[in-house]
Amino acid sequence: MNDDDHIERMFGTSGSPSNQRATKYTCARHGEYEPNQRNWHDRDVCPQCIADGEAIKAPWKAAWAEYSRWQHAQIPEHFRNRRLGNYRPHTENARQALAASRELVSKRIRALALIGDVGTGKTHLSVGILAAAIREGSSGLWVHVPTLLREWRATFSKGSEQSEEQILQRLQHAQVLVLDECGATSRTEWELNAISMLIDERYRNGGAIVITGNLPHLAAGIGERGADRIDEMGVTLALTGASYRTRAVDDPGLKVDDDFIKPPTRIRWTVCEAGIDRVEAREW
Ligand SMILES: Nc1ncnc2c1ncn2[C@@H]1O[C@H](COP(=O)(O)OP(=O)(O)O)[C@@H](O)[C@H]1O
Ligand SMILES: [Mg+2]
Ligand SMILES: [Zn+2]
């Protein structure tokens, strides 16, 4: 028994002929239909037209949700078209890193640390992972670690615009968190604790994490404790060799557009109400 049946029984309206509308309407698209008395706001609207409207709205809403997850991920402009699909596995290292990236997207691992030389595609892969995860329905956030640490530290001074709480909430909210450029020659105790704390949060709350850094070994950038956690949740891979940066200029695969497309802000469809066509619209 659904709610409407329940209400009908309570008020004794069900089956009483005086309350039943006899009028039948004709939808130009779907033919004759009974007045719909289930939902007050939908009465007299053709049920098939309502179903058609839902079928138009649902993918539009999903497209907007996906697009806004992508916007909220804060990918740097220059990397917005980088995908796992346009990363060339041109060395054994690169092949392994790409395979591990796909494992993170498919949730077989929850952590991936990419360390090693500059220009080997660590940032590229981190963006590719976010794009793929967002397509699969997850939320993501790309974070430049030196900037984060600077902003985080700034919250301790009086009159700071954002609070520490705001920064941390934003980070916790993401299902896939990228900490880019964790490489640093020397880290203060506070910095190591801050990074460990972020990794611990992932560990406890079930999120995934991608770490990149121009580092000889992971612990140098994120501390022993953080590195242990990453090992527990996933893998650390070294990307070594020549920088791809000069080759990137001529790589046609990198000249494609960002494929997250902004859906239309307004959609319209026609419904039949009491035998008369009427346009319904939704704005984003
Ligand atoms: N294997 C690869 N296939 C395609 N492009 C790559 C590859 N490796 C690196 N690139 C491109 O080379 C440039 C440098 O890579 P980047 O991700 O910035 O390196 P890193 O973060 O390791 O320093 C970027 O434009 C990136 O998209
Ligand atoms: Mg980088
Ligand atoms: Zn209809």
Side-chain angles (χ1 to χ4, degrees):
M1 186 173 77
N2 67 30
D3 283 345
D4 291 331
D5 291 338
H6 183 67
I7 288 165
E8 273 172 12
R9 273 163 52 121
M10 275 181 25
F11 291 99
T13 52
S14 182
S16 90
S18 61
N19 280 317
Q20 216 120 73
R21 286 192 253 173
T23 333
K24 279 191 175 179
Y25 299 117
T26 306
C27 168
R29 284 168 301 280
H30 305 111
E32 207 170 70
Y33 67 92
E34 304 272 346
N36 183 348
Q37 299 189 338
R38 302 239 104 170
N39 302 308
W40 182 83
H41 63 276
D42 281 340
R43 63 203 172 132
D44 296 0
V45 179
C46 162
Q48 194 53 52
C49 278
I50 293 173
D52 284 2
E54 293 304 324
I56 292 169
K57 255 189 298 177
W60 176 74
K61 275 187 180 168
W64 263 107
E66 186 183 87
Y67 181 75
S68 47
R69 288 199 303 278
W70 180 242
Q71 295 308 313
H72 282 114
Q74 298 182 6
I75 313 286
E77 201 53 45
H78 176 67
F79 283 96
R80 289 181 78 92
N81 70 351
R82 282 0 187 216
R83 299 288 180 271
L84 297 183
N86 61 10
Y87 184 79
R88 291 181 201 277
H90 62 130
T91 63
E92 180 55 22
N93 269 332
R95 199 190 55 72
Q96 282 176 2
L98 181 59
S101 299
R102 296 213 158 103
E103 288 196 348
L104 190 124
V105 172
S106 61
K107 299 184 178 161
R108 279 196 291 272
I109 55 172
R110 279 175 55 200
L112 172 61
L114 299 170
I115 59 172
D117 302 326
V118 291
T120 50
K122 300 182 292 296
T123 300
H124 181 133
L125 286 170
S126 77
V127 172
I129 288 170
L130 281 183
I134 285 170
R135 289 273 192 228
E136 304 261 308
S138 297
S139 60
L141 184 67
W142 189 94
V143 171
H144 183 244
V145 172
T147 309
L148 169 71
L149 293 175
R150 193 167 0 94
E151 288 177 0
W152 193 340
R153 215 182 286 104
T155 64
F156 301 141
S157 59
K158 272 200 185 131
S160 138
E161 267 176 34
Q162 44 177 358
S163 67
E164 182 177 23
E165 202 109 344
Q166 281 172 320
I167 289 189
L168 294 183
Q169 262 175 20
R170 193 165 58 89
L171 296 171
Q172 282 170 16
H173 186 73
Q175 286 167 310
V176 180
L177 178 65
V178 170
L179 298 182
D180 195 55
E181 290 195 19
C182 278
T185 42
S186 65
R187 285 249 182 256
T188 66
E189 191 74 9
W190 177 81
E191 285 175 338
L192 285 178
N193 277 334
I195 294 171
S196 283
M197 198 177 122
L198 295 181
I199 297 169
D200 270 349
E201 183 277 324
R202 299 278 101 187
Y203 184 77
R204 282 182 281 108
N205 298 337
I209 187 163
V210 178
I211 287 181
T212 83
N214 176 17
L215 291 161
H217 58 100
L218 187 59
I222 69 170
E224 292 291 349
R225 224 182 70 187
D228 276 353
R229 274 279 194 255
I230 297 295
D231 276 347
E232 211 176 318
M233 292 165 70
V235 290
T236 301
L237 293 174
L239 276 166
T240 51
S243 169
Y244 200 89
R245 265 177 207 155
T246 48
R247 283 178 67 180
V249 180
D250 302 318
D251 188 333
L254 302 178
K255 293 197 169 59
V256 296
D257 286 333
D258 172 359
D259 56 6
F260 282 86
I261 295 162
K262 191 176 185 169
T265 45
R266 184 181 168 84
I267 50 161
R268 295 149 63 92
W269 63 96
T270 308
V271 297
C272 173
E273 185 170 359
I276 299 162
D277 273 356
R278 166 174 75 72
V279 171
E280 287 205 341
R282 290 281 181 287
E283 307 270 346
W284 187 259

